[in-house]
Amino acid sequence: VEGFTDLHCHVLPALDDGSGSMEKTRKMLKMAYNEGIRQVIATPHFYPSRKSATVEEVQETLRKVQEKMKAWDFTIRLYAGNEIYYHSEVPELLENGKVGTMAGSRYVLVEFDPMTEYSYLRDGIFKLDSYGYIPILAHTERYECLFDRKERLQQVKEQGAVIQVNASSIKRGLFDEIGKRSRYLIKNELLDVVGTDAHSDGKRSPKIREAADYLYKKVGKHRAEEILFANPKAILKDKDIR
């Protein structure tokens, strides 16, 4: 069984507001393993305007976790990445190796302020694309500007953005706005990949099974496996997902 790939996870210890210790990392990865996750791209936050872990620090911390894992009773493949808060200088930082892509690919996980203007988000995606990167739009369900006028969702996809939704958002309550947006993306075949956006082994934990079951039920086996397996595999292999 190839298992799920978590493309959005704050699991590396003491690098951001995610795991605070190696023991917390172990608990998070064990929970991910029990959910059926077998590959994780660790995506610590990167903010151009304030101190963030360097690419070298991310790689070194990842190596330490891999070394510790040899003594654990489970194994998950770990890859380095970043969740990058977009700023106009981000493409240049990527070019200069100051921030990480997803597992060394052309793909970059990029986030914006939830209340950002559409023109800023659109221009950021365009600029990343113009530099040869493929932006994965982190937790797309949060961006007001894309749901104020839903035709913008198709527009950003046509610009080259990959649409990511948090697994925990999909099964929110029937009247929860974030949940409704997530399900809208699924129903209208706009969703490309799911990530856990896990920050702990508690409330924001690396759970994906319930979201996966929902996808199988709502969109069928072929489409669910495209979202859950084929598209993440393409990202890891640096291939186009469409």
Side-chain angles (χ1 to χ4, degrees), residues 119-145:
S119 58
Y120 186 74
L121 185 148
R122 178 199 62 207
D123 291 350
I125 290 170
F126 176 81
K127 188 170 183 182
L128 286 166
D129 178 73
S130 71
Y131 273 73
Y133 298 102
I134 304 173
I136 302 172
L137 192 55
H139 35 63
T140 303
E141 68 273 23
R142 295 184 184 177
Y143 303 114
E144 297 284 341
C145 65

Side-chain angles (χ1 to χ4, degrees), residues 11-15 22 40-46 52-68 77-82 97-105:
V11 70
L12 296 182
L15 292 185
M22 187 65 73
V40 170
I41 303 181
T43 54
H45 288 288
F46 180 89
S52 303
T54 65
V55 169
E56 292 76 20
E57 288 169 336
V58 172
Q59 293 281 2
E60 179 59 26
T61 304
L62 186 136
R63 282 193 290 271
K64 288 177 180 177
V65 175
Q66 290 172 325
E67 186 62 31
K68 287 284 187 181
R77 289 181 180 269
L78 289 177
Y79 302 87
N82 274 119
K98 300 297 185 184
V99 61
T101 65
M102 301 288 275
S105 71

Side-chain angles (χ1 to χ4, degrees), residues 5-9 39-43 79-81 102-103 235-236:
T5 299
D6 188 357
L7 297 167
H8 185 170
C9 192
Q39 295 82 223
V40 170
I41 303 181
T43 54
Y79 302 87
M102 301 288 275
I235 290 168
L236 285 173

Side-chain angles (χ1 to χ4, degrees), residues 17-105:
D17 61 343
S19 171
S21 67
M22 187 65 73
E23 176 58 16
K24 183 73 72 173
T25 293
R26 186 193 67 79
K27 289 179 179 178
M28 289 176 69
L29 288 173
K30 178 66 172 179
M31 183 175 289
Y33 185 88
N34 290 340
E35 285 283 302
I37 294 168
R38 295 295 181 268
Q39 295 82 223
V40 170
I41 303 181
T43 54
H45 288 288
F46 180 89
Y47 299 98
S49 59
R50 66 177 191 253
K51 182 171 173 55
S52 303
T54 65
V55 169
E56 292 76 20
E57 288 169 336
V58 172
Q59 293 281 2
E60 179 59 26
T61 304
L62 186 136
R63 282 193 290 271
K64 288 177 180 177
V65 175
Q66 290 172 325
E67 186 62 31
K68 287 284 187 181
M69 195 183 294
K70 293 175 182 178
W72 298 344
D73 63 345
F74 64 93
T75 299
I76 287 179
R77 289 181 180 269
L78 289 177
Y79 302 87
N82 274 119
E83 180 181 11
I84 306 165
Y85 192 87
Y86 186 78
H87 185 279
S88 59
E89 67 191 54
V90 162
E92 288 79 9
L93 291 171
L94 284 161
E95 288 290 282
N96 294 324
K98 300 297 185 184
V99 61
T101 65
M102 301 288 275
S105 71

Side-chain angles (χ1 to χ4, degrees), residues 212 215-229:
L215 284 168
Y216 275 102
K217 179 181 177 181
K218 292 297 181 180
V219 302
K221 183 176 185 291
H222 176 76
R223 177 74 179 124
E225 292 187 349
E226 187 176 61
I227 294 166
L228 294 166
F229 300 106

Side-chain angles (χ1 to χ4, degrees), residues 186-202:
I186 293 167
K187 181 179 179 181
N188 290 276
E189 298 189 354
L190 294 165
L191 177 62
D192 295 308
V193 290
V194 174
T196 69
D197 194 11
H199 281 66
S200 74
D201 61 334

Side-chain angles (χ1 to χ4, degrees), residues 143-196:
Y143 303 114
E144 297 284 341
C145 65
L146 296 180
F147 290 88
D148 286 343
R149 293 175 54 184
K150 293 187 176 71
E151 67 272 15
R152 291 171 172 171
L153 289 160
Q154 187 60 46
Q155 289 170 9
V156 296
K157 279 180 71 77
E158 289 171 359
Q159 277 189 282
V162 173
I163 302 299
Q164 183 255 312
V165 160
N166 287 355
S168 60
S169 298
I170 292 171
K171 291 294 288 176
R172 285 200 188 188
L174 191 62
F175 301 106
D176 181 275
E177 186 61 29
I178 294 295
K180 286 193 290 184
R181 291 174 181 178
S182 301
R183 294 186 288 273
Y184 176 89
L185 292 169
I186 293 167
K187 181 179 179 181
N188 290 276
E189 298 189 354
L190 294 165
L191 177 62
D192 295 308
V193 290
V194 174
T196 69

